[in-house]
Amino acid sequence: MTKSQLITIKGTKDGLVLRLDDHCSFTELLSELKEKVQSSVLEGVSEVQLHLGHRYCDEKDMNKIQSVIHTSPHLRVSKVHSDVISLKECERKLIEKQSETYIGIVRSGQVVKADGDLVVIGDVNQSAQVIAGGSIYVLGRVKGIAHAGAQGNKDAVIAASWLEATHLKIADKIEIMTDELTILSEQPEMECAYLQKNGQIAIDRLQELRYLRPDLATFKGGI
Amino acid sequence: MGEAIVITSGKGGVGKTTTSANLGTALALQGKKVCLIDTDIGLRNLDVILGLENRIIYDLVDVVEERCKVHQALVKDKRFEDRLFLLPAAQTTDKSAVNPEQMKKLILELKQDYDYVLIDCPAGIEQGFKNAISGADRAIVVTTPEISAVRDADRIIGLLEAEEELEPPKLIINRIRSGMMESGETLDVNEITTHLSIDLLGIVMDDQNVISASNKGEPVVMDPTNPAAIGYRNIARRILGESVPLMTMEKSKAGFFGKIKNMFSK
Ligand SMILES: Nc1ncnc2c1ncn2[C@@H]1O[C@H](COP(=O)(O)OP(=O)(O)OP(=O)(O)O)[C@@H](O)[C@H]1O
Ligand SMILES: [Mg+2]
């Protein structure tokens, strides 16, 4: 009996695309992957994009797949595509997309938290904190502490009419607004803070947000 | 039935007790029946400023622990016939001797007989603060133009706003030195009120006679020409519902030169 192909390999201009069957058992898949990887004749290093289809792989499974592929010195996994996510992850994504609104002044010592995005209509005074799983938008002055992407979302931003915070945090990165950084914003009007690729928090004009984080927009299509 | 107003600040030493004594006296001067309560148990001051220290027999803790009746503990200020009374704090115990429920009950009782019950709050945000605000209908927050005092006022306002039974708090800025304010050495009235964004009830000048008057046991507000006294009298009238315009700060010489200096240094 000839075995059906569990793994198909295709070369594209962005590297190799590995499609893994999503119906067979995981052990079957792994053993065929091993075979394919070992029998392949390659030179140099190729980037590999994995397509998992409808197979749900947790972190352990993913590690197994990757370590098999990385037994070949010529292959490097660059991207993983999957058509499924866990319920938990889905819920987290949904929650982070939700927006909560606080109207009033967040005063010294007070903490306002949201699981998703947080809109504050009012000032965030010195020694006050606003914390959000998603992004933070303040129609007012941020003079205290703002923490966006508190569950680790690195794409979260902090935008405010006046961004004069003493501390900015995005995901697990914290920036104390020392003079050097605040020089970047001599006029702290209409600004946003975001996490750069290099892991540094940067501040830019609010107008740049649509280019920096195009995915924040949920409004699709033109007029 | 009268109204209970707590005078609070967060930061210590900004003038809560001075403000309580002077507003109480000013309201009594206006013909109102006033009872002052010193809730700074363990660190009582209000009796000294009013010159009533020697006449204390019972105190607040005696009342809540029912060792005496309220009226037995009240010390009358003889200068005002039957219009100004003090319920002194105990000096020998600490703030945990009283709880908010007892304060509520006591203040409700006093409101039957007095137009205004003014509650002098201790510094801080702990038990003493909770006791002091528990029976109040309104709150006055006292600050000075110093950044640290304004920060603590902000914290206190947050706590007061969270109390549903209280009306939105109002602000008094105390110890204003017009010279320093005009030269930008301290925050100005506008900056403070914008930052805290609550209603301004009034401002009081820094004046050395406030201290000497307190030492004599005769609140400065008795002297109608003193600038700080005018501030307190205006605040008392605003509490009574009159609309009194904010007094213009006296332009002292230092202030004028300070301003010029400031212009050049820019
Ligand atoms: N307007 C003023 N001008 C000059 N001195 C003042 C003024 N107001 C208050 N003071 C002085 O400041 C000092 C502190 O005032 P006060 O005792 O009223 O503060 P407090 O807030 O009640 O302090 P505590 O937190 O210890 O209870 C006193 O010496 C008082 O005389
Ligand atoms: Mg005091």
Side-chain angles (χ1 to χ4, degrees), chain A residues 102 105-110 123 125-128 143, chain B residues 151 154-155 157-159 161-162 194-198:
Chain A
Y102 180 93
I105 294 167
V106 190
R107 297 189 182 274
S108 171
Q110 292 182 327
D123 295 347
N125 280 353
Q126 273 105 351
S127 303
K143 295 181 273 191
Chain B
R151 173 74 48 86
D154 191 38
R155 175 95 171 96
I157 293 165
L159 296 174
E161 283 174 342
T194 334
H195 178 80
L196 296 174
S197 48
I198 60 170

Side-chain angles (χ1 to χ4, degrees), chain A:
Chain A
M1 197 181 97
T2 53
K3 246 182 14 187
S4 62
Q5 286 265 41
L6 295 184
I7 290 162
T8 54
I9 305 180
K10 225 167 66 188
T12 71
K13 67 171 172 22
D14 298 324
L16 295 174
V17 173
L18 246 69
R19 244 172 241 288
L20 310 187
D21 180 272
D22 55 9
H23 280 83
C24 66
S25 80
F26 190 63
T27 18
E28 258 183 291
L29 187 74
L30 271 189
S31 70
E32 182 166 335
L33 188 62
K34 237 179 241 164
E35 255 171 60
K36 278 253 157 71
V37 168
Q38 275 157 15
S39 64
S40 64
V41 252
L42 284 163
E43 273 172 32
V45 179
S46 305
E47 304 238 300
V48 176
Q49 294 193 23
L50 284 177
H51 286 254
L52 300 173
H54 286 87
R55 180 188 298 277
Y56 179 70
C57 289
D58 60 18
E59 215 175 314
K60 243 162 82 195
D61 298 338
M62 265 328 295
N63 284 341
K64 278 186 191 157
I65 294 177
Q66 298 220 15
S67 60
V68 167
I69 294 174
H70 289 153
T71 54
S72 159
H74 304 292
L75 298 173
R76 205 181 64 83
V77 176
S78 63
K79 239 183 199 160
V80 179
H81 300 277
S82 174
D83 293 334
V84 285
I85 57 172
S86 75
L87 206 56
K88 222 168 118 190
E89 199 180 335
C90 171
E91 270 165 6
R92 190 178 63 90
K93 287 207 163 153
L94 273 178
I95 285 170
E96 279 186 5
K97 266 225 148 69
Q98 276 166 15
S99 170
E100 287 178 73
T101 307
Y102 180 93
I103 303 183
I105 294 167
V106 190
R107 297 189 182 274
S108 171
Q110 292 182 327
V111 183
V112 172
K113 274 190 192 170
D115 293 321
D117 288 347
L118 174 60
V119 177
V120 177
I121 302 175
D123 295 347
V124 178
N125 280 353
Q126 273 105 351
S127 303
Q129 284 191 49
V130 282
I131 302 172
S135 294
I136 297 172
Y137 308 100
V138 180
L139 283 146
R141 288 174 190 270
V142 183
K143 295 181 273 191
I145 303 164
H147 188 182
Q151 310 302 328
N153 181 356
K154 292 188 166 66
D155 292 326
V157 300
I158 300 164
S161 320
W162 283 275
L163 195 57
E164 308 163 311
T166 55
H167 298 69
L168 289 176
K169 294 193 221 176
I170 297 174
D172 51 11
K173 180 75 195 168
I174 173 161
E175 193 67 65
I176 296 171
M177 299 285 283
T178 52
D179 291 333
E180 298 122 67
L181 194 72
T182 32
I183 283 173
L184 291 178
S185 50
E186 239 163 52
Q187 184 132 27
E189 229 175 301
M190 302 293 273
E191 287 188 323
C192 60
Y194 62 98
L195 201 56
Q196 287 173 311
K197 280 244 162 58
N198 66 9
Q200 296 290 318
I201 293 178
I203 294 175
D204 217 324
R205 291 179 311 155
L206 216 46
Q207 292 99 295
E208 302 302 319
L209 194 58
R210 56 181 300 200
Y211 307 111
L212 293 164
R213 292 287 182 272
D215 291 344
L216 285 179
T218 51
F219 205 88
K220 298 267 155 39
I223 303 162

Side-chain angles (χ1 to χ4, degrees), chain B residues 153-213:
Chain B
D154 191 38
R155 175 95 171 96
I156 285 291
I157 293 165
L159 296 174
L160 293 169
E161 283 174 342
E163 295 290 318
E164 278 166 15
E165 285 148 49
L166 278 178
E167 283 180 42
K170 298 211 162 147
L171 184 70
I172 291 178
I173 305 174
N174 187 26
R175 307 203 70 164
I176 289 180
R177 298 199 197 179
S178 52
M180 290 182 80
M181 211 171 249
E182 277 165 25
S183 65
E185 286 165 89
T186 65
L187 299 169
D188 68 30
V189 172
N190 233 332
E191 284 170 323
I192 297 168
T193 43
T194 334
H195 178 80
L196 296 174
S197 48
I198 60 170
D199 286 348
L200 182 66
L201 193 56
I203 60 175
V204 179
M205 292 302 171
D206 188 89
D207 191 289
Q208 60 186 40
N209 288 329
V210 173
I211 301 170
S212 54

